[in-house]
Amino acid sequence: ESFQEVLKAFNTGWRAYYESAGWAARYVGGIYHNRYHVGDTTGILPFRPVPAKKQRQAVAFLNKNIFAADAFDLPDDLLNKLQPQRLPDFSGSLFSMSQIDYPIHRQVLAIQNNALGKLYNPYTLGRLLNNEERFAPGEPRYTMYDMFTDIRRGIWSEIVQPNNVNSFRRQLQLQHLRWIVAIYLNNSSAYPYDARTLAANDLDILETAAKKAIKATTINNITKAHFKEVLRQIEAAKGAKKTYSRM
């Protein structure tokens, strides 16, 4: 068998990661919906927020299996087997292939960004806000503050007690920062006010941590350069002209 068979099996395996990242994120700010009519059953309403416990479990799943530093720790002998079979065809695809070595970092980031895109989607953030009013009195809530905090802590753990950041996490952290900056600078009504407030809070926390981290003697050169870039981007975002619309 050619190594093309290994590559085909490997590509098929990514589907589970991509779908898991997307579906787990949908639990955050999620709502169960049924189409019962009045009188069909007793005590069942059309909408019910996903319990806080399940939302926390979903975020924990993402932090462990999608965002963690070792989530995509694949053996080198597997990556070096992922060779496409370049056979001529009528479409000329043999000559249009951009690269023959597997773009592992690009593939991983696409999966991670799929989850981030759902978590920080304006509709998700809006539901997190609205769902606070949908829980019964005394029922545990999973709030927008909880989500911002859990995701930030999961993705940026190396910056607190400065440790080396591997290549997968460096690109993930910068991508997460892009989402936070985009929300912070956004002035449309699409994002809830609390989302912009919490994005600013994340930037403050990461800025303080980055300033301390770049002085650490426990990190390697690329990690130090990475934290410097994080600090530059945060300072640029805060220095951008942020306008506030009138009522």
Side-chain angles (χ1 to χ4, degrees):
E1 296 289 350
S2 69
F3 286 112
Q4 172 77 11
E5 298 304 313
V6 181
L7 177 60
K8 286 167 59 178
F10 186 78
N11 282 330
T12 301
W14 281 121
R15 180 176 179 178
Y17 276 91
Y18 194 87
E19 291 184 348
S20 296
W23 285 110
R26 289 170 65 90
Y27 277 83
V28 180
I31 299 176
Y32 294 119
H33 179 211
N34 66 70
R35 298 184 182 276
Y36 287 130
H37 291 76
V38 175
D40 285 349
T41 186
T42 304
I44 301 296
L45 301 177
F47 296 107
R48 178 170 61 92
V50 173
K53 181 179 180 180
K54 284 189 175 294
Q55 295 188 58
R56 293 185 188 279
Q57 288 175 337
V59 172
F61 173 88
L62 292 171
N63 278 332
K64 179 181 178 181
N65 298 289
I66 303 299
F67 299 147
D70 61 352
F72 299 93
D73 188 13
L74 301 172
D76 60 287
D77 63 339
L78 171 59
L79 293 175
N80 288 323
K81 291 175 182 175
L82 304 179
Q83 174 186 250
Q85 189 172 10
R86 297 192 295 170
L87 296 176
D89 55 33
F90 294 107
S91 66
S93 59
L94 165 64
F95 305 102
S96 63
M97 188 178 296
S98 59
Q99 66 182 94
I100 61 172
D101 57 306
Y102 197 86
I104 183 66
H105 282 82
R106 186 175 66 201
Q107 181 68 28
V108 167
L109 187 60
I111 293 170
Q112 294 169 330
N113 197 45
N114 177 39
L116 291 176
K118 287 181 171 59
L119 292 170
Y120 292 108
N121 185 284
Y123 292 105
T124 301
L125 298 174
R127 285 197 305 270
L128 279 167
L129 178 64
N130 292 327
N131 280 358
E132 291 187 40
E133 307 304 319
R134 291 191 172 101
F135 286 100
E139 187 178 3
R141 289 164 166 77
Y142 191 75
T143 66
M144 196 190 310
Y145 177 86
D146 295 328
M147 193 274 281
F148 269 76
T149 301
D150 291 342
I151 295 300
R152 185 190 68 247
R153 289 176 176 174
I155 291 177
W156 294 88
S157 58
E158 298 94 338
I159 205 171
V160 180
Q161 296 292 334
N163 290 308
N164 292 333
V165 185
N166 69 27
S167 56
F168 292 111
R169 290 275 281 189
R170 290 195 299 270
Q171 65 176 15
L172 170 61
Q173 289 174 0
L174 290 176
Q175 187 67 17
H176 175 257
L177 184 60
R178 289 181 64 183
W179 280 103
I180 297 302
V181 168
I183 295 171
Y184 170 72
L185 293 177
N186 192 287
N187 195 40
S188 72
S189 60
Y191 286 99
Y193 287 109
D194 282 354
R196 296 197 287 270
T197 298
L198 290 171
N201 184 60
D202 272 4
L203 292 180
D204 286 342
I205 292 172
L206 292 174
E207 181 181 31
T208 300
K211 287 179 178 177
K212 293 180 180 178
I214 59 178
K215 299 176 182 178
T217 58
T218 57
I219 58 177
N220 57 26
N221 290 333
I222 185 60
T223 298
K224 182 170 292 189
H226 168 67
F227 287 149
K228 287 181 179 179
E229 176 60 18
V230 169
L231 188 57
R232 277 193 293 269
Q233 292 194 22
I234 293 174
E235 290 174 344
K238 288 188 171 183
K241 185 178 181 181
K242 186 175 181 182
T243 59
Y244 293 87
S245 60
R246 295 180 180 180
M247 294 295 291

